[in-house]
Amino acid sequence: MIEIKAVIERIIYRNEDNGYTIARVNSEDEDLVVVGNCMEIKTSMEYIFRGDFVFHKKYGEQFKFEDLEEILPKSQTGIINYLSSGVIPFIGEKTAKAIVDKFKEESLTIIENNPDRLLEIEGIGEFKLEKIKSSLEKNKGLRKLIIFLTSYGLSSSYAIKIYKSYGEDSISLIKENPYKLAEDIRGIGFKKADEIAIRLGNVDPSFRAKAALKYTLFLAALEGHSYLPQEELLKRTEKLLNIDEKSLREEVIKLTFDDRFFIERNEEGDFDCYYAPYLQAENYISGKIKSMLKYPYEKVKNLDQLIDKVEGRQNLKFAANQIKAVKESVENGILIITGGPGTGKTTTLKAIIEVFELLEKSVKLAAPTGRAAKRMKEATMREAMTIHRLLEIGFSSDDRLNYGYEEETTLDCDVLIVDEVSMVDLILMNTLLKSVKEGTRLILVGDRDQLPSVGAGNVLKDLIESDKVPLVNLDEIFRQSEESMIIKNAHLINKGKMPEITNSKDFFMINEPDQLKTSEIIADLVNRRLPDYYGIDKKDIQVLCPMKKGPVGVKNLNDKLQTLLNPKGDEVKYGDNIFRVGDKVMHTKNNYNLEYKIESDFYLEEGEGVFNGDIGYIEKIDKEEKEVYVRYDDVKLVKYEYEDLDELMLAYASTIHKSQGSEFDVVIIPLHFAPPILLTRNLIYTAITRAKKLVVLVGEYKYLKIMVDNNTISKRYSRLKERLQDESN
C-alpha cells in the first residue's frame, strides 16, 4: 500500500450518502486526482492517503485510497483554516489570520505553550485571553480527541459532541466499545460506528450485534413504530449486518438485561421488542387515561343556560355537535374533538373556553409547534404556547435515542386544551399526561384524517379506535366555509372523490407533464406571477412537496428559489447547503437546549427550545464567531453555532410531513411520480388543508387521482389501543 501526503485543492464530486469522493490534490511531487470513500474531507487541509494508483479508461491515472488521515497543518494557510474551524473557541477567521500573520508557522506551538503572547494580537485583550486560556485548559482532552478522530474520518463537530457526552474518558470509551457512539451521539449512526470499529480493529461480535439490534429499533421509531415484533426485528437486523439469525437471537436474549430494551409477550403469544421508554409510555398513557375517565366530576345544573349565554355573546347559534362537544368537555375528564376544515372547531373551542370561564375554571391552551400555538392564540384571543414550553421540557441524558423527557412541572389549571393532537407522538403524550394533575380536564383537538406524528406511536388514532375515550366528530361544514373551494375540495378528497378543478379564485391546477418545466413554473409562481397578480408577499407562499429528491423535490426547489429570491449576501456553506442572510429556514429536529431571546421595548424574555418544523429567517451571520442568528415568528431570536447548522434547512420548499401544524396563505404543490407510500390520500389532504387563501397544484392530473384513490395508511406497530381496551389493569 502506497502513502502520499497531499493538500486538498478542490472537491470535484462527493456523495454524502456513502462518502464517495473525487478530489484534486497537491502532493509533494505532483498534482493528481484521488478517489475513495471517507466520512469527511475539507479543502485546504493536508492528509495522508493510503492506497494505490489505478488507471481509469476515461479519466486516466488516479490514486484510489483505502483510508486517509488528517495532518495538523504546518502551512500558514492550513493553520488559519485549522484555527478558524472552531477547534479553539473565541478564535474566528479574522483573529486566526492576525495570529498567523504575527507568529507564522509557530502559531500552534505558541498557543499551546505560551498563550500569553496572544496579547500581542490586536483585538485580543486580557478578558478574551483569559477566556481562550480557560478554554485551552478545559479542552486539552477535546483537542486530543479531535486529533484521534480525524484519523477515522470524523470531523471536529462530531468530536465536540462526543466530548460533551464522554469528557476526558472519550478516547478510552471509544476504544473499549466504539458502537456506543451510535447509541449516544446524535448524527453518528450504526454504520459510522461500525466503520470506526473496523478501523480500530475492535469489532467485538457481541457489541456489534447488540448495537445493530438497538439501531434497528431506533430506525423503526423514526418510521413511527413504538416496537417491532421479534421476527421483524431479527429480519431487519440480519439484513443490516448480514450475519446469521441464530447469533442475533442469542443477543436479543442478552439485551433483556439492558434497562433500555424490553421484550413483552403479546396476546397472540409472540414477542414484541421495545425500547423501554416506549413501552413505559404506552403503559402510563393507558393507565392515566383510564384514571381520568373514572374521576367523579360534579354535574353542572345550569349548563344549558351557560351555553345560551355564550351563544348570545358570540351572536351565533351552535350546531348540535358543537353543543355536544361543550357538554362532553364539562362532564368528562378527557374528551377528543375531531373535525376537518370549516367544521367549526375554532368556534367550538371558544365556546368551551367561555363556558369554563363562566364556571370560574382556569384554562390553559397548548399545541405541538410554535406556529400551531400562534394560530390557536389568534383564534381564541387567549394565551397559547407550545407543549414543550408549557411543560418546561428538557432532555434526559439519553437524548440520542429519544429516551424520554424529564418530568419538570405539574400544570396548575382546571382545564387543558391541546390542538393539533395528530402531531403528538407517544413520548410527548406520556410527558403531557404526567404533568396533568388529578381532576384536570383534558380536551384533545385534531383532524383524524391528517398525517400521523413524525415520532413513534399513533396516539390520536389509537385513542379514537379504542372506543374508550369520549369523542365528538364535527362533520357539518358551515355556510361561510362552503364558498371556499379549498375546504370543499379537502372534504371531497377525504371522501375519496376527486376535487373540483374549476380554476376558481382559491384553487387552481396547472397541467405540466415535464418535471423540469414544473420546477420552472413553481419558481416563477413564487417569484413573479402570484405576487404580481394577487399582491401576495413572497414570504406568505409555501411550496409543499411529497418528495425530498428529484427535479420537483425539496432540495432542488429550495436551491432554485434561493437563487431567485435571495441570490446575494453574507453566507456560510455547511455540507450541501448555502445559508445566506435573509434566507427562509426550518429547524428540523427538536432541540430542547437551544437558547432564544425575545426582545421588545418593554421586556426581555429568555428561554430554551426550538422545535421540528419551526420556520424563521436568517438575520445575521457572524463569520468571526462562527454563529448564525435566526428569527422565528418575528420575535424569537436563536443563535446557532456552525456545528449546529445540521439542524437547519432551507424552507422555501418543505415536505408535506414537515408542514403539519402550520398554515400558510398560499400553498403550491407539485404532483409527479413518487413512491406509492408517498402518493396517499392523507398526504394530499394534509397539504391542501395547510392553505388559508390559495392552493395551486402543478403537475399531472393522473397523480392527483392516484393520491385520492390511495387510502393506504402505512401500518405502525403500536399497542396503545389494546392497552386502553384491556380491562384487566
Side-chain angles (χ1 to χ4, degrees):
M1 186 176 288
I2 301 171
E3 285 191 2
I4 62 168
K5 188 186 296 184
V7 175
I8 304 296
E9 178 188 292
R10 181 166 65 92
I11 296 172
I12 299 169
Y13 172 80
R14 179 161 173 81
N15 184 329
E16 292 297 340
D17 291 334
N18 59 20
Y20 181 73
T21 303
I22 305 172
R24 180 165 293 281
V25 302
N26 297 322
S27 73
E28 296 174 352
D29 301 320
E30 60 179 329
D31 295 349
L32 68 152
V33 171
V34 297
V35 297
N37 294 80
C38 55
M39 291 188 185
E40 184 172 87
I41 197 165
K42 294 169 281 191
T43 56
S44 302
M45 298 300 284
E46 190 174 20
Y47 295 85
I48 293 174
F49 295 91
R50 300 181 182 93
D52 210 341
F53 286 96
V54 296
F55 189 85
H56 193 285
K57 61 183 178 181
K58 183 175 180 181
Y59 299 110
E61 189 177 63
Q62 299 174 335
F63 187 84
K64 185 175 182 181
F65 63 89
E66 299 297 326
D67 64 73
L68 77 168
E69 176 183 340
E70 186 176 338
I71 302 170
L72 279 178
K74 295 182 177 65
S75 70
Q76 293 185 29
T77 300
I79 294 170
I80 290 171
N81 288 333
Y82 180 75
L83 288 176
S84 58
S85 70
V87 64
I88 302 177
F90 312 109
I91 296 181
E93 187 175 350
K94 183 178 176 183
T95 304
K97 286 178 179 177
I99 291 170
V100 174
D101 285 345
K102 178 73 176 176
F103 301 126
K104 311 302 182 192
E105 288 81 4
E106 298 298 313
S107 296
L108 293 178
T109 303
I110 287 171
I111 290 172
E112 188 72 31
N113 301 320
N114 193 9
D116 286 341
R117 290 198 61 192
L118 290 175
L119 289 172
E120 299 173 32
I121 306 300
E122 185 178 351
I124 298 181
E126 292 285 356
F127 179 72
K128 193 168 186 178
L129 175 64
E130 287 306 313
K131 283 188 170 183
I132 292 172
K133 288 170 68 176
S134 174
S135 174
L136 286 169
E137 184 60 34
K138 180 180 177 182
N139 292 320
K140 274 186 178 178
L142 174 58
R143 295 198 300 283
K144 288 181 183 177
L145 179 62
I146 289 173
I147 294 168
F148 172 74
L149 289 176
T150 52
S151 61
Y152 300 106
L154 283 180
S155 67
S156 58
S157 62
Y158 282 121
I160 291 167
K161 291 178 180 179
I162 293 168
Y163 196 75
K164 283 179 180 178
S165 293
Y166 298 159
E168 295 293 330
D169 297 326
S170 295
I171 293 175
S172 62
L173 287 172
I174 292 170
K175 286 182 175 179
E176 179 185 343
N177 181 8
Y179 293 102
K180 276 186 65 63
L181 292 170
E183 189 173 339
D184 298 335
I185 309 301
R186 186 171 59 198
I188 299 181
F190 171 79
K191 291 182 179 178
K192 282 187 179 179
D194 197 34
E195 185 176 338
I196 292 168
I198 291 169
R199 291 189 180 188
L200 279 169
N202 184 21
V203 184
D204 181 290
S206 180
F207 283 159
R208 185 171 188 255
K210 282 186 280 198
L213 287 163
K214 289 180 181 180
Y215 182 63
T216 303
L217 274 185
F218 169 67
L219 292 178
L222 294 181
E223 295 174 18
H225 303 299
S226 54
Y227 73 92
L228 283 179
Q230 180 174 287
E231 297 307 312
E232 179 73 11
L233 174 61
L234 292 169
K235 178 182 173 183
R236 292 189 182 199
T237 311
E238 185 179 9
K239 186 177 180 181
L240 177 70
L241 282 184
N242 194 27
I243 63 176
D244 68 281
E245 182 185 310
K246 182 181 178 183
S247 298
L248 284 175
R249 286 187 185 277
E250 292 173 359
E251 296 303 332
V252 168
I253 295 169
K254 293 178 186 176
L255 270 175
T256 58
F257 296 100
D258 188 309
D259 64 355
R260 288 175 292 187
F261 188 92
F262 196 89
I263 298 179
E264 181 182 64
R265 187 185 290 273
N266 58 40
E267 293 176 353
E268 295 82 25
D270 299 320
F271 292 102
D272 297 332
C273 299
Y274 280 87
Y275 263 120
Y278 298 125
L279 177 61
Q280 291 161 3
E282 286 189 354
N283 283 328
Y284 184 84
I285 291 169
S286 60
K288 182 66 175 273
I289 287 175
K290 290 174 183 178
S291 174
M292 294 174 77
L293 289 169
K294 295 174 183 176
Y295 190 84
Y297 292 98
E298 291 184 18
K299 194 168 182 65
V300 178
K301 296 179 181 178
N302 62 336
L303 187 52
D304 287 327
Q305 290 88 337
L306 292 177
I307 294 172
D308 290 342
K309 188 173 183 177
V310 172
E311 282 184 325
R313 283 181 177 182
Q314 296 191 17
N315 194 26
L316 289 172
K317 186 67 179 174
F318 298 142
N321 269 0
Q322 290 179 308
I323 293 172
K324 180 182 178 185
V326 175
K327 289 184 174 181
E328 293 272 357
S329 68
V330 174
E331 294 168 356
N332 292 286
I334 182 169
L335 172 69
I336 299 171
I337 301 173
T338 68
T343 57
K345 287 200 300 289
T346 298
T347 301
T348 305
L349 278 187
K350 288 167 71 176
I352 289 170
I353 292 166
E354 288 193 33
V355 166
F356 277 119
E357 288 174 346
L358 289 171
L359 290 169
E360 298 183 343
K361 303 292 185 183
S362 60
V363 181
K364 288 190 175 180
L365 311 178
T369 67
R371 280 181 166 262
K374 186 179 179 183
R375 285 172 43 214
M376 199 179 189
K377 181 178 180 179
E378 291 168 350
T380 62
M381 293 179 289
R382 268 84 169 174
E383 181 62 33
M385 60 186 72
T386 63
I387 298 172
H388 307 84
R389 186 177 170 198
L390 177 75
L391 304 181
E392 301 174 12
I393 284 174
F395 258 136
S396 73
S397 59
D398 193 6
D399 62 349
R400 173 64 181 86
L401 291 171
N402 201 15
Y403 186 59
Y405 304 112
E406 295 171 350
E407 183 184 352
E408 293 188 2
T409 188
T410 299
L411 295 176
D412 184 19
C413 62
D414 299 308
V415 183
L416 174 62
I417 302 176
V418 182
D419 200 5
E420 296 285 357
V421 179
S422 62
M423 298 178 65
V424 177
D425 63 26
L426 194 69
I427 297 294
L428 185 55
M429 179 58 76
N430 178 63
T431 308
L432 179 71
L433 289 177
K434 282 184 176 179
S435 301
V436 174
K437 66 182 181 181
E438 188 178 46
T440 296
R441 294 173 174 86
L442 178 63
I443 300 164
L444 304 174
V445 184
D447 187 339
R448 66 197 298 177
D449 298 307
Q450 282 191 34
L451 295 167
S453 62
V454 174
N458 208 347
V459 176
L460 181 60
K461 182 173 180 284
D462 284 345
L463 293 182
I464 292 171
E465 292 187 354
S466 72
D467 289 327
K468 295 296 181 181
V469 181
L471 169 71
V472 177
N473 182 32
L474 303 175
D475 53 8
E476 179 181 342
I477 303 175
F478 290 93
R479 187 176 302 167
Q480 64 269 28
S481 297
E482 289 177 348
E483 299 175 6
S484 167
M485 289 305 297
I486 296 173
I487 291 174
K488 184 175 183 180
N489 282 334
H491 285 275
L492 285 171
I493 288 170
N494 205 21
K495 294 174 183 176
K497 299 178 181 178
M498 288 297 291
E500 295 179 10
I501 310 293
T502 58
N503 286 352
S504 62
K505 62 181 181 179
D506 65 354
F507 201 101
F508 292 83
M509 180 159 186
I510 300 171
N511 286 297
E512 176 51 65
D514 186 273
Q515 294 192 40
L516 288 173
K517 288 182 180 178
T518 290
S519 69
E520 296 294 339
I521 290 169
I522 289 173
D524 194 37
L525 284 167
V526 176
N527 186 48
R528 183 183 63 84
R529 290 168 63 178
L530 293 179
D532 288 354
Y533 189 81
Y534 288 96
I536 295 168
D537 191 320
K538 295 174 186 179
K539 290 184 175 181
D540 295 327
I541 302 172
Q542 184 63 45
V543 180
L544 297 179
C545 309
M547 292 179 64
K548 293 181 181 179
K549 297 182 179 180
V552 291
V554 170
K555 179 69 173 71
N556 183 58
L557 287 173
N558 267 325
D559 291 344
K560 189 178 288 289
L561 289 166
Q562 183 190 45
T563 301
L564 274 174
L565 303 177
N566 194 32
K568 296 180 181 178
D570 287 343
E571 65 179 44
V572 57
K573 189 174 189 303
Y574 187 89
D576 288 339
N577 293 311
I578 294 174
F579 296 111
R580 296 193 184 107
V581 170
D583 272 337
K584 184 180 187 180
V585 292
M586 177 185 289
H587 192 87
T588 60
K589 56 188 74 172
N590 291 336
N591 187 328
Y592 306 91
N593 303 314
L594 205 54
E595 297 177 351
Y596 66 80
K597 289 183 180 179
I598 299 175
E599 299 179 70
S600 75
D601 295 335
F602 307 104
Y603 69 94
L604 168 65
E605 179 186 335
E606 296 181 330
E608 294 181 344
V610 184
F611 306 108
N612 188 6
D614 285 353
I615 293 177
Y617 289 86
I618 295 178
E619 196 165 280
K620 176 184 174 184
I621 294 175
D622 188 332
K623 293 185 177 180
E624 177 69 14
E625 298 297 334
K626 296 195 172 296
E627 295 168 347
V628 175
Y629 291 81
V630 178
R631 181 80 65 178
Y632 292 99
D633 297 322
D634 299 324
V635 293
K636 190 162 72 173
L637 188 65
V638 177
K639 179 181 74 176
Y640 291 82
E641 307 290 345
Y642 277 13
E643 67 189 70
D644 294 320
L645 290 180
D646 60 342
E647 298 184 13
L648 281 183
M649 62 170 281
L650 293 175
Y652 301 103
S654 77
T655 62
I656 297 167
H657 283 86
K658 290 284 187 185
S659 73
Q660 286 179 271
S662 298
E663 270 191 345
F664 311 96
D665 283 354
V666 180
V667 166
I668 301 174
I669 308 165
L671 292 174
H672 284 283
F673 172 80
I677 195 171
L678 293 176
L679 295 177
T680 62
R681 185 185 301 172
N682 64 350
L683 194 76
I684 189 66
Y685 173 80
T686 298
I688 286 171
T689 54
R690 300 307 89 206
K692 292 191 287 185
K693 297 179 180 178
L694 177 65
V695 169
V696 182
L697 309 176
V698 186
E700 297 183 77
Y701 189 81
K702 67 180 180 180
Y703 290 110
L704 175 61
K705 188 172 191 314
I706 288 170
M707 295 180 88
V708 173
D709 291 343
N710 182 10
N711 198 30
T712 303
I713 298 173
S714 297
K715 176 179 174 56
R716 288 192 170 197
Y717 291 111
S718 167
R719 291 284 180 189
L720 180 58
K721 180 178 80 172
E722 289 82 358
R723 295 183 201 282
L724 286 163
Q725 293 172 332
D726 186 358
E727 302 293 343
S728 64
N729 54 43

